[in-house]
Amino acid sequence: MNMSARRSFQMVLIVTFGLLFVFPLYWVCISAFRPEDDIFRYLSPLRIWTFLPNRVTFDNIVTLWMSPFARAIFNSIFVAVATVAGGLVVCAMAAFALAVIEFPGRSLVFTVMIVSFLIPFDAIAVPLYNVMRGFGLQNTYLGLILPGIGNGLTVFLLRQFFLGLPKDLREAGLVDGMGYFQIFWRIYLPLSVPALISAGLIMFIFQWQAYLWPLLIAPRTDLKVAAVAIAQFSSAYDVSFGVIFAGAMFVSLIPMIILVVFQQYFTSSVASTGGKE
Amino acid sequence: MRSLRTRVGLLLLATSMIAASGAAFAEQVTLNFLTAEKDETVAPVIAGFEKLHPDIKVVHTTVPFDSMNATIEARVGGQDSSIDVFLVDSPRVPAMANRGYLMNLNEFRDAADKVSNDVAMGVVSWKGDMYALPLWTSTQLMYYNKDLLDKAGIPYPGAKEEDRLTYDQVVDLAKKAQAAGAKFGFLPEQIDRYYQLQPLFESIGGGSGLTGPDNLTPDITNPKWIEAAEFYSSLFKDGIAPRGVPNDQMSSVFTSGDVAFYIGGPWQFRPFNAAEGLKYGVAPVPYFKGGKPVVPTDSWAVGISPYAAHPDEAKKFVEYMSINPEGALLSVANNPIPPTNEEAYKTYIDGIAALNPDVGPAAKEIMTYELAKNSVSRPRSIGYVAFEEIMNRAFSDIRNGADVTTTLQQAQDQLNSTLARIQ
């Protein structure tokens, strides 16, 4: 096989796999514009109407936005952005301490942090809920935001990135009379923008896709987040697939836009974390 | 000008004083009500109750259906006083009562007994005590697609009790309909769910699957159970029902006009009536020859949390929903399932009958005699939740082609150890 034929073959393979990944999402989007009866009608066998809606309706979109979905989207954005803002400050400082400051028990603290992100959140949700309720944080934004702030994975990523920064910079800072906070603020943070963006994205996605926690801690209608609001369209005797698909479409759009805008930082920082010097 | 200002000032002062004194006299109590229903489903009954009790405000919180039990476990189990009243999936009453998640409601027994039948009363009781009030119930019918039956030259099955077909007869007709062009012949709505499949085992005489003291001994490998499970397996093996369609999409296979016979609940009337071009009829759920007719039943009951912040007001609310015919009827105003309150049922069933003049009278007749005579509740056991989970998995394996006897034996072994732990 010559070079160009090989490249064409690879291209076809890549495009085919790409389409296979995109198709379910595409199907969800077009199904949001189909009447309820048509959604599953043309799934099997595959035919032209599987891929194109033969009847188009905006009823699902209207029903979605007539419900408190706009409020839920606002809540999701607010919670995710607040988590990223608060979480970056807390996690970056923790990562700096673990990467730069020598103190007894540092490895132990780091190990505990690693273990913390290996435990599935669902496993601690119920006891955590009881603690939060004890603090009066049920049905509050703070209750939604707090568990997302201390993110073990984010601390790990940032620590690895900080370890990769040259020691000389820190030492120069110390010689110039800077304290640790100034070194963190003036030297490490400005050099770590890609890693911070990457960490922010992880925290954003964590909150954006959270379901069990918001369901437990903030079930009040005006505090519901988007994921919970969408699930509400499935009751014991009636599942409104069209509306659920419409909701899923809008809910996917926001992280998609953010990822497209920041993807270059995300990949560059993930690639560079873990490398020393 | 000055006097006008003085007058306005005095008026404002007087208004605020009246408002303040009014608030002092009638301090409104807020009841928190948790369900897996949409706001509009419970809005009528809440409005009716609030009109009757202006001093009580009911705040409805809804959680998705699949998360309802987990939410109750977490919140009521965590002694959360911010839930007063909640809906309870009735077969879970024993387990929840046993764990202390439900307030004892014996004081309502006589009043509830007068308006509900024995089946409905049975499911809310555990070891002689009453832990919830009956609210809604359910039954099933066999829907058929008139066009597909016409095409195959099959006469429409009758709605009378004596017209009830056997499962074997329905399968024969289903195959005939498939030969004449129907994509699928016969399918149950909630595949793999014990609620839907219990009638198969009960009808053939195999029992509920749980026996012994407190229903804690599994009995799912007797010859009748195996025979009924083989029947279920054959529906999918022979292509009479589709293998890859999940529960919540099953009704769309019927509305698409692809199925000749379909067993489902009365909640399908509205979507089936709305489906364009679908002509359907209803008949009673089949039974096994030599066995007895059995249909599934029960739905949500309504209970009070033992940690409720306002237990007295909560009692007034559950009494209104369950025992007061007006409240019971309002609870199903935007809900397609029958109320357990017999007085409210009469108005409800007339409403169902009026939905579609072609099907309504037959539906009314079938639902009324099924609810009265052939309804069998799920077994009362503190081990029901574990039993249901294990059985649903076994049914799924059987549907996907696993050997029936081996699968049931494995489930039996698993149940033996799980239920022994619960004992």
Side-chain angles (χ1 to χ4, degrees):
Chain A
M1 202 185 278
N2 66 33
M3 198 66 181
S4 77
R6 199 173 179 174
R7 288 193 73 147
S8 308
F9 175 73
Q10 284 174 341
M11 187 59 85
V12 169
L13 207 67
I14 289 166
V15 169
T16 310
F17 274 100
L19 286 177
L20 280 178
F21 276 91
V22 167
F23 179 69
L25 200 61
Y26 166 75
W27 185 81
V28 163
C29 291
I30 56 163
S31 295
F33 296 96
R34 280 181 157 147
E36 200 70 34
D37 294 348
D38 282 7
I39 291 178
F40 299 106
R41 179 173 288 189
Y42 304 109
L43 264 187
S44 162
L46 290 183
R47 57 197 117 159
I48 179 76
W49 303 126
T50 314
F51 304 92
L52 290 173
N54 55 347
R55 290 193 295 166
V56 172
T57 175
F58 290 93
D59 288 357
N60 298 324
I61 312 287
V62 172
T63 310
L64 179 74
W65 289 100
M66 292 289 281
S67 74
F69 183 70
R71 173 77 195 205
I73 284 275
F74 166 79
N75 289 339
S76 274
I77 294 175
F78 179 73
V79 168
V81 169
T83 303
V84 171
L88 279 183
V89 172
V90 171
C91 294
M93 288 202 284
F96 178 78
L98 288 168
V100 173
I101 305 172
E102 303 270 349
F103 61 91
R106 187 168 77 156
S107 313
L108 181 72
V109 173
F110 182 61
T111 312
V112 169
M113 220 159 262
I114 295 281
V115 171
S116 80
F117 79 76
L118 296 177
I119 300 173
F121 184 79
D122 294 359
I124 58 161
V126 173
L128 187 65
Y129 164 74
N130 289 331
V131 172
M132 290 292 213
R133 195 165 50 83
F135 290 141
L137 295 176
Q138 192 178 19
N139 282 322
T140 62
Y141 280 115
L142 202 56
L144 283 164
I145 294 164
L146 273 183
I149 297 255
N151 188 313
L153 180 63
T154 306
V155 176
F156 171 75
L157 274 180
L158 289 174
R159 175 190 175 267
Q160 299 306 98
F161 191 88
F162 291 159
L163 284 176
L165 296 177
K167 271 187 186 168
D168 304 351
L169 291 174
R170 178 199 329 162
E171 277 155 16
L174 285 171
V175 170
D176 284 348
M178 281 175 141
Y180 275 123
F181 186 76
Q182 279 180 309
I183 293 173
F184 167 70
W185 194 253
R186 291 200 179 166
I187 301 175
Y188 274 67
L189 280 193
L191 289 172
S192 311
V193 173
L196 289 170
I197 288 174
S198 159
L201 280 175
I202 288 171
M203 284 193 280
F204 187 90
I205 300 295
F206 172 84
Q207 280 292 25
W208 193 258
Q209 65 184 13
Y211 176 76
L212 179 67
W213 182 249
L215 185 70
L216 285 177
I217 199 75
R220 221 172 62 195
T221 309
D222 58 332
L223 284 171
K224 272 189 183 140
V225 297
V228 176
I230 291 175
Q232 227 70 82
F233 289 99
S234 158
S235 71
Y237 303 105
D238 163 38
V239 183
S240 310
F241 281 104
V243 186
I244 290 174
F245 289 162
M249 184 174 75
F250 289 111
V251 165
S252 315
L253 267 178
I254 291 168
M256 207 184 284
I257 293 168
I258 292 174
L259 276 172
V260 166
V261 172
F262 290 111
Q263 64 172 337
Q264 50 175 333
Y265 297 101
F266 186 72
T267 43
S268 70
S269 72
V270 169
S272 56
T273 48
K276 275 186 144 193
E277 302 292 328
Chain B
M1 187 69 198
R2 195 171 185 181
S3 80
L4 180 69
R5 236 186 253 172
T6 316
R7 268 187 239 167
V8 171
L10 280 172
L11 190 69
L12 283 175
L13 185 70
T15 316
S16 56
M17 279 172 70
I18 290 166
S21 62
F25 280 116
E27 202 174 313
Q28 210 176 36
V29 166
T30 300
L31 268 187
N32 288 304
F33 178 34
L34 180 81
T35 78
E37 302 297 325
K38 292 175 182 168
D39 283 335
E40 56 264 34
T41 306
V42 292
V45 69
I46 290 176
F49 177 74
E50 286 178 343
K51 205 171 154 196
L52 211 60
H53 299 276
D55 52 333
I56 306 174
K57 183 176 167 51
V58 179
V59 174
H60 175 235
T61 301
T62 172
V63 292
F65 173 59
D66 290 337
S67 312
M68 180 68 180
N69 290 313
T71 306
I72 292 172
E73 295 262 337
R75 294 186 58 188
V76 181
Q79 308 191 354
D80 184 348
S81 63
S82 69
I83 296 179
D84 296 289
V85 178
F86 56 95
L87 294 192
V88 192
D89 189 14
S90 51
R92 288 174 189 256
V93 167
M96 290 175 78
N98 196 47
R99 289 174 139 186
Y101 294 172
L102 289 166
M103 185 183 278
N104 185 310
L105 296 177
N106 280 346
E107 64 198 87
F108 293 106
R109 183 186 295 281
D110 291 342
D113 205 23
K114 281 185 191 136
V115 296
S116 318
N117 68 22
D118 292 346
V119 175
M121 288 299 287
V123 296
V124 291
S125 305
W126 175 241
K127 294 201 165 175
D129 287 316
M130 194 163 165
Y131 287 98
L133 293 189
L135 182 64
W136 301 329
T137 185
S138 66
T139 189
Q140 294 218 321
L141 308 98
M142 183 167 72
Y143 297 84
Y144 55 84
N145 182 314
K146 287 184 171 175
D147 287 337
L148 295 177
L149 264 56
D150 286 344
K151 230 196 245 176
I154 302 170
Y156 302 148
K160 300 256 176 254
E161 203 167 1
E162 56 270 24
D163 298 332
R164 192 188 300 268
L165 299 171
T166 65
Y167 281 109
D168 291 335
Q169 285 172 323
V170 174
V171 165
D172 286 344
L173 295 175
K175 284 178 178 166
K176 209 171 152 188
Q178 280 182 287
K183 198 167 166 186
F184 301 110
F186 171 51
L187 54 103
E189 177 176 84
Q190 301 179 33
I191 45 157
D192 303 346
R193 285 194 185 153
Y194 181 78
Y195 167 82
Q196 180 80 58
L197 302 180
Q198 183 190 4
L200 290 179
F201 304 103
E202 298 267 13
S203 172
I204 207 167
S208 70
L210 285 177
T211 60
D214 296 337
N215 274 331
L216 283 168
T217 311
D219 177 21
I220 58 167
T221 49
N222 63 55
K224 296 287 186 191
W225 255 76
I226 292 173
E227 194 183 335
E230 290 283 8
F231 170 79
Y232 180 60
S233 170
S234 70
L235 290 179
F236 301 92
K237 210 186 291 173
D238 300 345
I240 296 167
R243 264 201 176 125
V245 182
N247 273 316
D248 43 14
Q249 295 169 23
M250 206 51 107
S251 67
S252 65
V253 184
F254 189 77
T255 53
S256 305
D258 290 336
V259 191
F261 297 98
Y262 178 92
I263 295 185
W267 44 88
Q268 296 299 359
F269 286 127
R270 282 194 176 92
F272 287 179
N273 289 340
E276 227 171 88
L278 177 71
K279 280 188 253 159
Y280 73 94
V282 286
V285 168
Y287 70 110
F288 278 109
K289 197 178 171 189
K292 58 181 183 184
V294 174
V295 287
T297 192
D298 301 332
S299 174
W300 298 100
V302 59
I304 301 177
S305 164
Y307 312 102
H310 305 289
D312 295 335
E313 289 79 3
K315 284 178 183 171
K316 286 181 188 164
F317 185 46
V318 296
E319 186 181 12
Y320 178 73
M321 264 194 289
S322 169
I323 296 167
N324 184 325
E326 178 199 300
L329 189 60
L330 285 172
S331 80
V332 291
N334 288 339
N335 196 356
I337 56 169
T340 52
N341 186 302
E342 287 172 348
E343 201 54 41
Y345 176 80
K346 291 176 193 161
T347 316
Y348 158 86
I349 197 68
D350 286 338
I352 287 285
L355 279 179
N356 180 338
D358 288 343
V359 185
K364 178 180 171 177
E365 185 178 353
I366 297 169
M367 284 175 66
T368 306
Y369 66 64
E370 297 287 38
L371 279 166
K373 291 184 192 170
N374 301 320
S375 295
V376 174
S377 295
R378 282 156 282 181
R380 322 299 305 146
S381 166
I382 53 169
Y384 177 77
V385 178
F387 171 74
E388 187 191 75
E389 270 172 31
I390 291 170
M391 288 322 304
N392 291 359
R393 273 203 302 273
F395 294 144
S396 171
D397 289 344
I398 289 170
R399 178 175 54 86
N400 284 314
D403 178 68
V404 168
T405 313
T406 319
T407 308
L408 288 180
Q409 186 57 54
Q410 282 167 350
Q412 168 100 3
D413 295 343
Q414 209 180 340
L415 282 167
N416 272 330
S417 61
T418 307
L419 295 179
R421 276 202 303 275
I422 292 172
Q423 271 171 339

